[in-house]
Amino acid sequence: DPAARPKGEAAQVADGDDGQDKVEEAPAASEDDVFRYVGSLAPPAALNMTPSSSEGVASVHFHPDGGRVAVSRSNDRVIEVYAARSEVEVQKKRRRRLRRRREKRNAAAVAAPKAARKRGLLDDSESDDDGRGEGGGTDEAEADAEAVKAMDEFEFAGVVRAAHKVRGFAFVPGAERGGGVRIATALATNSLEVHSLPRPGGGGTVATA
């Protein structure tokens, strides 16, 4: 939650090599002040959105109330919108993520002896160093997993699909009825479009013009 972020901390959205939006944050100022990577954001796979990794992020805008952030790419007509969770929601999402992580690790630990028996006694073990190679099981990896991630702080809210390539956009000040937002877009055809995006719910929505 931007409003709940401790004073002295900041966040920035950067374009990733895989086409996803990477979120980085900086701790309170110090002699070794440096941005720390906290994860990437991407639309749900169910929407079948495959942004081109060759098209970098063109614009990033926060809603005036700080509750949403929108991202557009070069030579694209789609704007991705993400909603910022409250501090309570962030911690709930983090706890769910850590619980799922523990469940997966426990399941893998149960399956490992069975795989070893199938491999046979004379086979070389290829998994002895897997944990160290991937950082799994180390104190550093555990500490990193415990930290709040971008996926904990933001949830996908929906997309704006303009009629033509977007050259710029901005949130319209004020709130829509029901908690939605309006986004004004400037298109490559020198025309303007205004889109209404309902409040997120059920995996994201598509805005209507």
Side-chain angles (χ1 to χ4, degrees), residues 34-111:
V34 64
F35 282 99
R36 179 172 63 86
Y37 176 71
V38 295
S40 59
L41 301 173
L47 292 182
N48 196 28
M49 291 178 58
T50 54
S52 173
S53 60
S54 62
E55 301 295 348
V57 170
S59 298
V60 179
H61 294 292
F62 271 92
H63 190 274
D65 66 9
R68 289 176 178 79
V69 61
V71 181
S72 68
R73 301 177 183 278
S74 303
N75 300 316
D76 201 350
R77 62 187 189 91
V78 173
I79 299 172
E80 303 166 25
V81 183
Y82 298 87
R85 293 186 173 98
S86 68
E87 183 61 28
V88 173
E89 293 171 333
V90 167
Q91 295 304 324
K92 288 175 61 177
K93 181 68 167 59
R94 171 180 166 275
R95 287 194 293 270
R96 287 197 300 268
R97 173 174 56 81
L98 293 175
R99 184 174 64 248
R100 288 196 300 266
R101 183 173 184 269
R102 287 193 298 269
E103 292 171 351
K104 289 181 179 179
R105 293 183 63 181
N106 292 338
V110 171

Side-chain angles (χ1 to χ4, degrees), residues 1-2 4-6 9-11 23-25 36 38 41 67 82-87 89-91 93-94 148-155:
D1 182 3
R5 187 180 299 278
E9 292 192 0
V23 180
E24 300 175 348
E25 67 177 20
R36 179 172 63 86
V38 295
L41 301 173
Y82 298 87
R85 293 186 173 98
S86 68
E87 183 61 28
E89 293 171 333
V90 167
Q91 295 304 324
K93 181 68 167 59
R94 171 180 166 275
V148 173
K149 303 293 185 181
M151 66 179 69
D152 302 328
E153 293 191 287
F154 297 92
E155 67 172 321

Side-chain angles (χ1 to χ4, degrees), residues 95-176:
R95 287 194 293 270
R96 287 197 300 268
R97 173 174 56 81
L98 293 175
R99 184 174 64 248
R100 288 196 300 266
R101 183 173 184 269
R102 287 193 298 269
E103 292 171 351
K104 289 181 179 179
R105 293 183 63 181
N106 292 338
V110 171
K114 297 179 181 180
R117 286 196 295 270
K118 289 182 180 180
R119 188 168 60 240
L121 296 176
L122 299 180
D123 293 341
D124 293 332
S125 175
E126 298 178 354
S127 59
D128 291 340
D129 296 328
D130 285 352
R132 290 189 295 273
E134 296 295 329
T138 65
D139 293 340
E140 183 178 353
E142 290 297 330
D144 184 63
E146 292 283 340
V148 173
K149 303 293 185 181
M151 66 179 69
D152 302 328
E153 293 191 287
F154 297 92
E155 67 172 321
F156 180 73
V159 294
V160 170
R161 297 185 186 274
H164 300 278
K165 292 179 180 179
V166 175
R167 289 291 179 258
F169 72 93
F171 282 101
V172 177
E176 279 282 88

